[in-house]
């Protein structure tokens, strides 16, 4: 089988060590990819250091044009990107198509933001020593960025590392997920054509050991990681003086209040629970429904869930397919069995065949159960009643995670109370917890990490403040 080269600072390199890429649906090997070693990583860092001077000579108009060109090239090759995402991640086509469209928008938004980097003029004469003085504040690239992206959005989460880096003239070394590197390498082809300095971008599939060097190398100024909490917090501890941005997933909850549009709430929660088999950081894992409508909600939710059947992710009408691998499917099955032994009521699903897990619905779940406390990252949802909005808020806040939550209500006092009290990075009103657009500040608190994605907000993490006093 032909070995795909990695992308080293403008050059395509084939190495002696390879990574096998398996289609999660067919279980067939679809490609082999070259792996970077310590020497290649060092070459990429040296090239990135050299690229910084070349970057400084480019105008914001030239940077914006490069980003627009990347957006255009993705648009021209949408089908190829879709098929690649489906092949290596088993993401249903409808969701792969949406991801490609979002990546097109992400680079387009970055092109706009590249021409409006933050700056300000401040008066310094409100202090006696500053009489007659002004301050010009500008923001410049902090330096080289290390981006580490996960498997579940192999294009758009890569875009959320690379696009802000280009917009801020920051060279970036990207380590894509070992499960899904093909999409990132395909994107590198179009970045190669856009006229950026050699060394501005490297896409380096590599082992965990080589990836750890990205975390620890002092020549790298910013680490942006999306992945599991245990790995992310460990990286922060080893990152030294770097700026660190962590998007570490969540345990998203939805509150369904008694005044909501019930059918709409059911449809949205259903999508949030089972899109891409729940392998989404803001997957709707816990649903709290007012006791006055709990029975009706549960009946309608179960009716929709029973209609879900596993299909080939390449089919246009596929809504749910396999999980990324069997080990994760086995983990979800184990957590479900543990919950039953702990007193949870399994209403639907719970069975596994290879790496497919049935859409699974629980009630009577609570603290101490992994499906309630941890990020399940699978097609499992816990639905429980509440009597007061204060109780619902306490239930949502009981999690160690705080990424996003949803509220289904039209009562302004309830909306304001939840917005002020819920301990999350974002509250989504009358939409699924999985709602996200690519310009909004996206990120969480508590064990969900810190820092924000969203082009303008990610750019801030890649920049340093500089003052000219005159």
């Amino acid at each position: 089988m032909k070995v795909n080269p990695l992308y080293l600072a403008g050059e395509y390199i084939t190495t002696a060590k390879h990574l096998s890429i398996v289609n999660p649906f067919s279980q067939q090997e679809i490609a082999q990819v070259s792996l970077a070693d310590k020497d290649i990583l060092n070459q990429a860092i040296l090239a990135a250091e050299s690229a910084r001077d070349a970057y400084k000579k480019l105008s914001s108009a030239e940077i914006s044009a490069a980003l627009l060109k990347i957006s255009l090239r993705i648009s021209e090759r949408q089908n190829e990107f879709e098929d690649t995402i489906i092949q290596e991640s088993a993401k249903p086509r409808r969701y792969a198509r949406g991801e490609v469209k979002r990546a097109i928008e992400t680079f387009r938004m970055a092109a706009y933001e590249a021409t409006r980097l933050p700056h300000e003029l401040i008066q310094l004469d409100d202090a006696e020593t500053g009489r007659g003085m002004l301050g010009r504040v500008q923001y410049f690239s902090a330096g080289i960025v290390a981006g580490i992206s996960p498997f579940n959005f192999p294009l758009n989460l890569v875009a959320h590392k690379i696009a802000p880096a280009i917009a801020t003239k920051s060279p970036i070394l990207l380590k894509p997920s070992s499960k899904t590197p093909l999409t990132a390498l395909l994107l590198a082809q179009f970045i190669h054509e856009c006229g950026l300095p050699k060394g501005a971008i490297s896409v380096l599939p590599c082992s965990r050991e080589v990836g750890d060097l990205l975390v620890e190398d002092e020549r790298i100024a910013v680490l942006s990681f999306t992945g599991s909490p245990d790995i992310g917090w460990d990286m922060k501890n080893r990152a030294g003086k770097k700026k660190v941005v962590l998007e570490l997933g969540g345990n998203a909850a939805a509150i369904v209040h008694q005044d909501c549009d019930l059918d709409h709430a059911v449809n949205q929660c259903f999508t949030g629970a089972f899109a891409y088999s729940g392998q989404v950081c803001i997957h709707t894992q816990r649903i709290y429904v007012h006791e006055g409508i709990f029975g009706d909600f549960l009946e309608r939710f179960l009716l929709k869930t029973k209609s879900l059947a596993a299909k080939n992710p390449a089919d246009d009408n596929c809504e749910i397919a396999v999980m990324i691998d069997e080990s994760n499917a086995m983990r979800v099955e184990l957590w479900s069995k543990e919950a039953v032994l702990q007193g949870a009521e399994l209403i639907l699903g719970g069975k596994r065949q290879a790496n497919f897990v049935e859409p699974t619905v629980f009630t009577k779940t609570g603290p101490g159960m992994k499906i309630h406390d941890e990020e399940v990252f699978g097609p499992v949802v816990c639905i429980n009643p509440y009597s007061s909005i204060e109780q619902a808020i306490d239930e949502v806040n009981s999690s160690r995670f705080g990424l996003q939550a949803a509220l289904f209500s039209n009562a302004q006092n309830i909306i304001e109370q939840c917005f002020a009290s819920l301990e999350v990075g974002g509250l989504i009103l009358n939409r699924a917890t999985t709602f996200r657009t690519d310009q909004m500040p996206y990120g969480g608190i508590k064990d969900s990490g810190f820092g924000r994605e969203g082009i303008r907000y990610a750019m801030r993490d890649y920049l340093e403040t500089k003052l000219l006093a005159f």
Side-chain angles (χ1 to χ4, degrees):
M1 179 173 288
K2 181 183 177 182
V3 178
N4 290 263
L6 54 80
Y7 186 70
L8 171 62
E11 304 291 338
Y12 292 97
I13 306 294
T14 301
T15 64
K17 289 189 176 180
H18 308 150
L19 175 68
S20 176
I21 310 302
V22 175
N23 180 319
F25 181 74
S26 69
Q27 294 297 307
Q28 299 297 310
E29 183 182 56
I30 56 173
Q32 292 192 356
V33 170
S34 293
L35 284 174
D37 57 18
K38 295 178 182 179
D39 180 61
I40 285 177
L41 177 60
N42 186 58
Q43 292 179 53
I45 294 173
L46 293 173
E49 289 180 323
S50 298
R52 293 192 69 191
D53 288 336
Y55 245 149
K56 291 174 183 177
K57 297 175 183 178
L58 296 179
S59 69
S60 61
E62 290 171 313
I63 294 295
S64 181
L67 287 160
L68 283 174
K69 186 172 182 179
I70 297 169
S71 178
L72 177 62
R73 295 292 284 127
I74 298 172
S75 179
E76 292 171 345
R77 304 281 286 276
Q78 286 188 60
N79 291 341
E80 186 175 358
F81 274 105
E82 272 184 40
D83 290 341
T84 304
I85 291 169
I86 293 165
Q87 283 288 305
E88 65 178 350
S89 74
K91 178 172 285 190
R93 184 172 295 279
R94 64 176 61 187
Y95 300 120
R97 183 177 297 123
E99 180 175 353
V100 176
K101 289 179 178 178
R102 284 181 56 194
I104 294 166
E105 292 177 349
T106 297
F107 280 101
R108 177 182 57 78
M109 292 170 184
Y112 176 66
E113 295 295 343
T115 64
R116 54 198 294 264
L117 293 181
H119 59 277
E120 56 187 316
L121 192 66
I122 61 174
Q123 290 183 230
L124 303 178
D125 64 355
D126 58 346
E128 181 60 33
T129 54
R131 182 178 293 274
M133 298 291 287
L134 291 172
R136 192 176 93 203
V137 182
Q138 286 185 248
Y139 297 81
F140 297 86
S141 169
I144 301 170
V145 176
I148 303 177
S149 60
F151 76 83
N152 58 330
F153 285 84
L155 178 59
N156 203 40
L157 288 183
V158 167
H160 273 279
K161 310 295 184 193
I162 290 178
I166 296 173
T168 57
K169 304 180 185 180
S170 303
I172 181 168
L173 283 61
L174 181 92
K175 178 190 179 300
S177 166
S178 296
K179 299 284 187 184
T180 57
L182 298 176
T183 306
L185 291 169
L186 178 60
L187 177 63
Q189 294 181 22
F190 306 131
I191 295 174
H192 183 77
E193 301 170 2
C194 74
L196 294 175
K198 190 174 182 180
I201 310 285
S202 291
V203 178
L204 305 175
C206 58
S207 65
R208 174 71 61 84
E209 291 73 24
V210 175
D212 284 344
L213 299 178
L214 278 172
V215 177
E216 298 167 1
D217 197 294
E218 294 181 356
R219 293 170 292 179
I220 293 171
V222 181
L223 171 66
S224 178
F225 171 78
T226 302
S228 72
D230 291 344
I231 295 173
W233 293 120
D234 178 65
M235 285 181 174
K236 179 179 179 294
N237 291 334
R238 294 187 287 109
K241 300 175 183 178
K242 296 177 183 63
K243 287 186 170 187
V244 179
V245 182
L246 300 176
E247 198 281 276
L248 302 179
N251 182 336
I255 297 174
V256 182
H257 204 52
Q258 58 188 341
D259 70 314
C260 73
D261 179 331
L262 187 57
D263 283 332
H264 176 72
V266 168
N267 290 336
Q268 288 290 308
C269 289
F270 170 80
T271 299
F274 301 122
Y276 192 34
S277 296
Q279 297 173 120
V280 182
C281 296
I282 39 181
H283 148 69
T284 305
Q285 187 168 328
R286 295 174 294 148
I287 304 175
Y288 298 103
V289 185
H290 190 275
E291 59 188 9
I293 58 172
F294 179 77
D296 286 342
F297 179 94
L298 189 59
E299 181 181 356
R300 299 181 199 194
F301 190 92
L302 291 173
L303 186 63
K304 285 188 67 68
T305 305
K306 289 174 182 177
S307 69
L308 272 179
K311 296 180 181 179
N312 187 325
D315 294 346
D316 282 328
N317 62 351
C318 174
E319 289 189 75
I320 192 167
V322 296
M323 292 185 63
I324 190 67
D325 56 35
E326 189 166 8
S327 64
N328 274 287
M330 291 173 67
R331 173 187 55 78
V332 172
E333 180 187 39
L334 176 62
W335 287 12
S336 295
K337 289 180 177 179
E338 286 179 356
V340 171
L341 293 175
Q342 292 171 302
E345 182 179 341
L346 176 63
I347 304 176
L348 190 68
K351 296 178 182 177
R352 175 188 68 85
Q353 184 174 356
N355 59 332
F356 173 71
V357 175
E358 291 179 341
T360 301
V361 181
F362 280 98
T363 190
K364 298 181 181 178
T365 56
M369 302 177 186
K370 292 189 179 74
I371 60 167
H372 175 275
D373 296 346
E374 303 300 326
E375 182 181 36
V376 71
F377 223 64
V380 176
V381 63
C382 306
I383 308 177
N384 291 293
Y386 70 88
S387 57
S388 69
I389 194 65
E390 290 78 15
Q391 180 195 355
I393 291 170
D394 288 343
E395 292 281 7
V396 175
N397 289 346
S398 68
S399 174
R400 68 186 179 98
F401 296 99
L403 187 48
Q404 283 191 176
L407 170 65
F408 294 88
S409 175
N410 296 302
Q412 195 61 36
N413 62 320
I414 297 295
I415 295 168
E416 295 301 331
Q417 184 178 0
C418 288
F419 187 50
S421 301
L422 289 173
E423 298 168 355
V424 291
L427 176 61
I428 311 302
L429 182 61
N430 293 321
R431 296 287 293 272
T433 59
T434 48
F435 174 81
R436 182 182 178 185
T437 62
D438 296 284
Q439 74 274 48
M440 73 189 226
Y442 173 79
I445 59 174
K446 300 194 283 189
D447 270 2
S448 289
F450 54 83
R452 292 294 181 269
E453 292 182 346
I455 298 302
R456 182 191 307 180
Y457 303 93
M459 287 169 63
R460 293 177 182 177
D461 290 315
Y462 293 4
L463 294 168
E464 288 285 8
T465 309
K466 188 180 290 188
L467 168 72
L468 172 64
F470 63 96

